[in-house]
Amino acid sequence: AESVVRNVDKRTSRREHRAIFEAAVARFRAEPFKQPAEAVELPGEGSSARSVRVCVRKRPFFQHEHQQGEFDVISCSNRRVVVHDARMKPDMRHMFMNHHDFAFDEAFSEKVDNDEVYARTAKGLVESTLEGRCCTVMMYGQTGSGKTYTMSAVYERVAADLFAGAEGRLVTASFVELSGDKCFDMLHAGEPCNLTQAGDGSVHPFPCVEVQVKDPSDLLALINLATKLRATAATGVHDQSSRSHAVCRIFVEGHGGSAKGGPEGNLTLVDLAGSEHRVDSSEHNPERRKEGAKINASLAALKDCIRAASSGAKFVAFRQNRLTQILRGCFSRLDRHQTVVIATVSPSSKDTEHSMNTLRHACIMDGQGEQKSGNSAHVAGGVVTKETLGEIDVTKIAREKRAAAKANAGQPDEWGKPQAPPAHQLKQSNTAARASLDRKAMRALPQRIQEALVAARAEWGSDRQRARIGRAGLVPQAPASPSPSGAA
């Protein structure tokens, strides 16, 4: 007789024995065990010199995932994140669960709304920017884990708070995309631009379009235009996966105006492209695979730089990638650059390994050190508590297998038939249609910001940009007087 015990991959075994694994997760949530002491204290906690904060947000578990046989494997409480890793022993009979315990500056469950996430992460950086500081907010995580959704909420709240505190000071914005080793200006229909190092060591895209914005609606209109042009493509995860890193920079004139030399505030909002595992890219076409390799390489370089900065290293290899070049200020030892990393994780059981990988690298960014799992090259992290769940019910599985075979009797055998390629492989990236997307988005802009953007494109490289990179002295700008037609 054919054995009912078979070797299957982790995703399949989790679906087949979901009821048992779900019950173990429910027991933990009803009576969570005490957090291990080694997972509680964060390095440098309470120190004013700590410039990088790492927060984690769990996205909701969707109904369609439950219908596909998945279950919720992440629990968040206070600053604690636990990943419930459902596993089978090599004999494929005995089940166990590894509860991986992580601690971060903030941990947000799916019940926490956007207002609270913003208040506990980016709001303080907006206040620092208004005081003339340089700050960065970064979204990091797997494709489909909610990075762009969270960043969209951050954009709205940043715009409102910035103008509430700007007190009539000049506010300008630029928006570029980093794809591989290239930089593109999203406010100039995707025109390529260079990265230039300033005299103080900071790195800026130049020349690029930088537009003066006068209220939150102006800023959000520009961001909306830029995000529509950002490179996206259909993948096996979802139909509009971001295939590039989006970097929005907002500059706020210092107190007293540029003529008095007040320090200029700078807030950088970075929506990183999603990291991908090999299993997620198995159905990608060659173009998507190349994009994925470049994305993972840039994220690895970013992780290395933040880890070096968090550990106080004397040398940070920021030149190895365009992404780390433009974010050099985050790694500076000379000037404290406040940075918040928001790591987003998917709670679906099929994404268990990816979520743990995100959290382990977030630990490294948080300065919690880097560990290796035995002789493996894989990064380890989190404190593990193992729970034994018993043996599978072989009789029940055999009964279900016979019933399934009887139900499928007489069905045509599909084995050996050539399979059609996945539908997402037939869809093209939006980069080829950027010119038409830009024209359409320009027409949708309010008249005032449309005219300001056209003027900035004609200038393409302002005096303020030249001043930042040390090429010329800053020419004070007189307040613009409205024209008879009402244009800004």
Side-chain angles (χ1 to χ4, degrees):
E2 183 184 356
S3 173
V4 298
V5 179
R6 59 198 180 102
N7 287 323
V8 294
D9 60 85
K10 285 180 280 191
R11 289 182 172 182
T12 302
S13 67
R14 287 168 185 151
R15 287 192 289 268
E16 289 181 346
H17 309 295
R18 178 174 75 173
I20 297 171
F21 291 133
E22 270 189 315
V25 175
R27 286 195 301 271
F28 172 88
R29 289 175 179 159
E31 295 183 28
F33 50 75
K34 186 178 180 182
Q35 188 172 17
E38 56 266 46
V40 175
E41 188 171 350
L42 297 176
E45 190 171 16
S47 169
S48 60
R50 193 160 176 260
S51 59
V52 178
R53 295 179 65 242
V54 178
C55 311
V56 174
R57 187 181 197 187
K58 170 191 171 184
R59 73 153 169 83
F61 182 66
F62 300 132
Q63 182 62 30
H64 70 82
E65 293 173 320
H66 189 268
Q67 292 170 352
Q68 292 167 358
E70 310 298 339
F71 56 96
D72 186 344
V73 297
I74 295 181
S75 300
C76 295
S77 61
N78 196 11
R79 300 187 307 168
R80 182 185 189 184
V81 181
V82 180
V83 180
H84 310 286
D85 183 13
R87 306 294 289 268
M88 301 288 293
K89 289 189 175 181
D91 63 5
M92 298 306 293
R93 286 177 176 266
H94 294 84
M95 298 169 287
F96 66 97
M97 182 168 283
N98 285 331
H99 302 276
H100 296 260
D101 232 306
F102 299 87
F104 295 98
D105 294 282
E106 300 283 357
F108 305 108
S109 73
E110 68 275 24
K111 297 178 182 178
V112 179
D113 62 19
N114 288 328
D115 288 327
E116 186 174 349
V117 171
Y118 169 73
R120 291 161 60 183
T121 56
K123 186 176 179 66
L125 301 192
V126 174
E127 295 167 356
S128 295
T129 301
L130 292 169
E131 295 170 2
R133 304 290 295 275
C134 295
C135 308
T136 298
V137 180
M138 273 187 276
M139 295 292 165
Y140 173 77
Q142 166 194 2
T143 297
S145 61
K147 294 184 308 302
T148 299
Y149 170 80
T150 302
M151 182 57 91
S152 297
V154 170
Y155 286 146
E156 293 176 6
R157 289 152 182 80
V158 163
D161 284 355
L162 267 179
F163 282 95
E167 300 172 341
R169 286 179 282 166
L170 180 69
V171 178
T172 59
S174 64
F175 200 115
V176 298
E177 168 191 85
L178 298 173
S179 179
D181 58 354
K182 297 178 181 178
C183 179
F184 301 98
D185 188 351
M186 293 293 97
L187 297 182
H188 202 179
E191 287 289 327
C193 58
N194 299 319
L195 296 182
T196 304
Q197 184 169 325
D200 61 358
S202 60
V203 177
H204 301 272
F206 181 85
C208 73
V209 171
E210 185 174 323
V211 185
Q212 180 180 350
V213 286
K214 297 189 174 182
D215 56 38
S217 62
D218 284 358
L219 178 56
L220 293 175
L222 286 178
I223 291 174
N224 184 51
L225 178 144
T227 52
K228 286 180 178 176
L229 269 62
R230 184 181 176 189
T232 60
T235 67
V237 180
H238 59 80
D239 281 346
Q240 288 189 320
S241 175
S242 300
R243 312 306 295 169
S244 64
H245 309 298
V247 182
C248 175
R249 278 190 164 170
I250 305 168
F251 298 94
V252 181
E253 188 178 46
H255 285 288
S258 56
K260 295 187 178 181
E264 181 181 55
N266 172 19
L267 179 62
T268 302
L269 305 174
V270 186
D271 185 10
L272 297 167
S275 56
E276 294 180 344
H277 265 323
R278 183 179 58 213
V279 67
D280 298 318
S281 59
S282 59
E283 294 183 345
H284 286 185
N285 58 29
E287 184 181 357
R288 298 287 88 77
R289 286 192 180 126
K290 289 178 183 177
E291 288 173 350
K294 290 179 180 179
I295 289 169
N296 287 341
S298 60
L299 293 174
L302 176 64
K303 178 258 301 181
D304 289 342
C305 288
I306 294 182
R307 176 188 59 189
S310 299
S311 62
K314 293 183 178 180
F315 174 73
V316 179
F318 72 92
R319 290 186 178 87
Q320 60 183 315
N321 191 274
R322 291 289 189 186
L323 177 62
T324 51
Q325 286 178 27
I326 201 169
L327 297 177
R328 184 190 178 182
C330 301
F331 325 125
S332 174
R333 296 173 63 246
L334 302 177
D335 181 32
R336 185 168 172 245
H337 186 119
Q338 293 176 290
T339 301
V340 169
V341 178
I342 303 177
T344 56
V345 289
S346 163
S348 179
S349 53
K350 68 182 175 62
D351 295 325
T352 301
E353 283 73 30
H354 218 322
S355 294
M356 285 196 297
N357 191 56
T358 296
L359 294 172
R360 286 166 174 167
H361 284 93
C363 287
I364 296 171
M365 293 180 183
D366 211 15
Q368 297 183 37
E370 181 172 3
Q371 302 171 333
K372 300 292 183 182
S373 53
N375 295 323
S376 169
H378 292 287
V379 175
V383 180
V384 181
T385 302
K386 185 175 180 179
E387 179 184 1
T388 302
L389 301 179
E391 190 173 352
I392 63 174
D393 188 340
V394 176
T395 304
K396 179 183 177 184
I397 295 173
R399 192 184 307 120
E400 291 174 348
K401 190 172 182 179
R402 285 195 299 270
K406 191 177 294 184
N408 292 329
Q411 296 292 327
D413 187 3
E414 298 291 326
W415 189 85
K417 285 186 69 174
Q419 298 293 316
H424 65 262
Q425 287 192 8
L426 304 177
K427 298 179 181 179
Q428 299 296 318
S429 170
N430 68 335
T431 53
R434 263 188 184 155
S436 60
L437 286 173
D438 180 67
R439 288 192 295 270
K440 184 177 179 180
M442 282 286 287
R443 288 194 295 268
L445 288 176
Q447 183 68 22
R448 182 180 67 184
I449 194 65
Q450 185 181 126
E451 292 176 357
L453 180 55
V454 169
R457 287 183 176 183
E459 186 179 17
W460 205 37
S462 66
D463 290 333
R464 301 191 69 81
Q465 291 178 4
R466 294 185 183 90
R468 289 187 200 112
I469 61 178
R471 292 187 177 179
L474 181 60
V475 179
Q477 296 183 2
S481 56
S483 65
S485 61

